[in-house]
Amino acid sequence: MSQQESVEASSGPVPRGPRTAGVRQALSSLRSSRGFRLLWISNLFFYGGAWTQTLVLGWLVFDTTRSEFLLAVFTAVRLAPMLLGPFAGVLSDRYDRVRLLMIACLWALAAVVTVAVMASSGPVSYGALVAGGLAIGLAQSPSQPARGSLVLDLVGRENLSNANALNALAMNMTQVIGPAVGGAMISAFGAPAALWISTTWYAFSLVALWPLRGTGQATPGRPEPVLRMLTSGFRTVLTSRLTAAVLFVTLAANVLLWPVYQGFMPVFAKEALGLDAAGLGWLLTCGGLGGLAGSLVIAALGDFRFKGGLFVLGTVAWGALWSLFALSRTVPLSFALMACIGLMSASFGVLQTTLLLMTTAPEVRGRALGLQELAIGVMPFASLGLGAAAERVGVGTTAFLSGILLVAVVLALAVRVPRLLRYSGANAP
């Protein structure tokens, strides 16, 4: 017996320091569930492909057109499949969720290969880029309700906040890696090479899902007709005042701020800050690093109280920071603000899904996430409106006013539904 084993035998296990305990708590879902580990790895590669494409395709469109409005049109088409969220939610409640995710990976792989082949063959027209963005969006957005519902299937209610934070961590890790790699590849070898990288990421995502076959099966029994499932699910979800409040915050954020991030970052980089493609990549990387830190903090908190309060106040801080970023014309300050924006975005991004899953019944959770996807799906229309406004008053002014409006809307909603601020998730819906 070793000296350490002798000590443990006589006096019990050696106590772990607070730092070790914090890391173990932050990674608890990954440590305790093999199924969630595989899903997390799949998400890591899936999101990596998505972030690389967001940068590369956005850069190609703006470099080709030099038009904020046409960039907004491309973004709108790219994100339009989010409007299919309610039907995707029905599919998530009706069919095997892992199988749905595998089909999405295969479609994404085929779509990106097609765009990469076109880009490798010569200059790509604006119309072809728009069509490619739509095809990629059709692979990504409709799979989200199944992806979110599967998390709860794999880890249970107590670990839900931790698991969603770790999923957000995966997204932010790829937000750090994807834009940096994509921007560097554009500068060194051109856009086609960056697109080809993202094809390999989707292939790895599919491989990670393979052992989970049969895990995410729908509730047994004969399912209702699709339209009846759709309408009954909507009634069940929206009659909850708390769930409706969470969905409204999601709607407001995707009308006012996410279109700015998804569509106008190349404009901020080129025109306000004088950055090239690599600089844009590093700017987005700062946002990813902030989001990474924020997700780690929420993961370490575990099943903490006042989830609703952090959701509301974090979203308010996020909007205020965007307004400050819109005013900045200094590169170091803009990089620092983008890191802070990423940090505060974690409270919105992680907790919106956690709260929706916690405040809805098991049989309609896919449809609740489908409504969330629909709320996100207004982004294309909001992008058009914000793009038209940016043509008139500039991207900076548009982003500044959008951030201020989000702060006002969320604070007003908190006054109207005070239970949201106090919600801890301790009681089942």
Side-chain angles (χ1 to χ4, degrees):
M1 182 181 290
S2 68
Q3 182 178 358
Q4 182 177 349
E5 289 171 330
S6 300
V7 172
E8 289 187 1
S10 60
S11 60
V14 176
R16 299 179 184 273
R19 180 177 300 177
T20 303
V23 171
R24 288 171 62 85
Q25 175 63 40
L27 302 178
S28 61
S29 294
L30 287 173
R31 293 173 56 249
S32 63
S33 171
R34 175 179 178 269
F36 180 70
R37 282 198 300 274
L38 290 170
L39 177 64
W40 189 84
I41 292 169
S42 175
N43 289 343
L44 187 70
F45 286 107
F46 192 90
Y47 295 143
W51 279 115
T52 301
Q53 295 150 25
T54 296
L55 180 133
V56 176
L57 294 179
W59 184 269
L60 281 173
V61 167
F62 191 68
D63 196 49
T64 300
T65 65
R66 295 287 174 173
S67 168
E68 290 89 346
F69 182 73
L70 289 179
L71 180 59
V73 170
F74 166 81
T75 303
V77 174
R78 166 77 171 81
L79 300 175
M82 290 180 179
L83 297 175
L84 300 174
F87 293 98
V90 170
L91 294 177
S92 175
D93 287 333
R94 188 182 178 101
Y95 298 112
D96 186 303
R97 288 162 181 157
V98 174
R99 185 174 298 175
L100 291 173
L101 295 183
M102 293 177 70
I103 291 171
C105 277
L106 284 170
W107 177 268
L109 183 61
V112 181
V113 165
T114 301
V115 177
V117 167
M118 289 191 297
S120 300
S121 302
V124 185
S125 68
Y126 176 71
L129 289 172
V130 170
L134 176 62
I136 294 167
L138 284 169
Q140 181 181 351
S141 300
S143 68
Q144 294 303 100
R147 198 177 300 278
S149 300
L150 188 58
V151 173
L152 188 56
D153 295 339
L154 294 172
V155 304
R157 188 180 177 85
E158 281 191 6
N159 283 325
L160 183 60
S161 291
N162 175 265
N164 280 331
L166 289 171
N167 266 339
L169 182 70
M171 179 178 285
N172 285 297
M173 285 173 64
T174 57
Q175 190 178 349
V176 171
I177 297 169
V181 170
M185 291 291 286
I186 291 173
S187 297
F189 307 111
L195 288 174
W196 282 113
I197 288 174
S198 65
T199 65
T200 64
W201 290 27
Y202 282 132
F204 283 120
S205 179
L206 181 62
V207 169
L209 285 173
W210 189 260
L212 291 176
R213 298 185 319 281
T215 303
Q217 293 181 353
T219 303
R222 186 174 182 179
E224 295 179 275
V226 171
L227 288 179
R228 187 180 300 172
M229 287 185 70
L230 190 66
T231 56
S232 65
F234 280 15
R235 281 196 302 269
T236 302
V237 171
L238 295 178
T239 50
S240 167
R241 189 176 176 87
L242 192 58
T243 306
V246 176
L247 285 169
F248 189 79
V249 174
T250 298
L251 178 66
N254 284 281
V255 167
L256 295 170
L257 278 190
W258 277 121
V260 175
Y261 187 76
Q262 293 284 347
F264 297 143
M265 291 308 293
V267 184
F268 276 115
K270 279 191 172 185
E271 297 188 353
L273 301 174
L275 300 174
D276 59 9
L280 170 60
W282 286 112
L283 184 65
L284 297 178
T285 296
C286 282
L289 286 171
L292 188 70
S295 299
L296 278 172
V297 170
I298 295 176
L301 291 174
D303 190 25
F304 65 98
R305 299 177 63 193
F306 305 116
K307 296 178 181 69
L310 181 58
F311 174 65
V312 170
L313 298 178
T315 303
V316 167
W318 180 51
L321 286 165
W322 263 112
S323 292
L324 293 176
F325 177 82
L327 297 176
S328 174
R329 295 296 180 270
T330 305
V331 172
L333 177 60
S334 295
F335 274 60
L337 286 170
M338 185 53 60
C340 293
I341 286 169
L343 179 70
M344 298 315 302
S345 72
S347 56
F348 169 77
V350 171
L351 292 173
Q352 62 171 335
T353 302
T354 300
L355 293 174
L356 281 177
L357 289 171
M358 284 187 165
T359 57
T360 51
E363 63 271 13
V364 296
R365 281 173 179 150
R367 280 162 282 181
L369 295 182
L371 276 173
Q372 179 190 49
E373 195 71 8
L374 179 62
I376 298 171
V378 303
M379 196 190 307
F381 302 102
S383 294
L384 294 175
L386 292 179
E391 291 275 9
R392 287 180 171 270
V393 301
V395 168
T397 301
T398 301
F400 173 80
L401 294 175
S402 292
I404 294 297
L405 279 173
L406 181 66
V407 170
V409 166
V410 175
L411 289 177
L413 183 67
V415 172
R416 180 94 179 185
V417 189
R419 187 185 167 203
L420 180 60
L421 276 170
R422 302 190 300 268
Y423 184 75
S424 68
N427 300 317

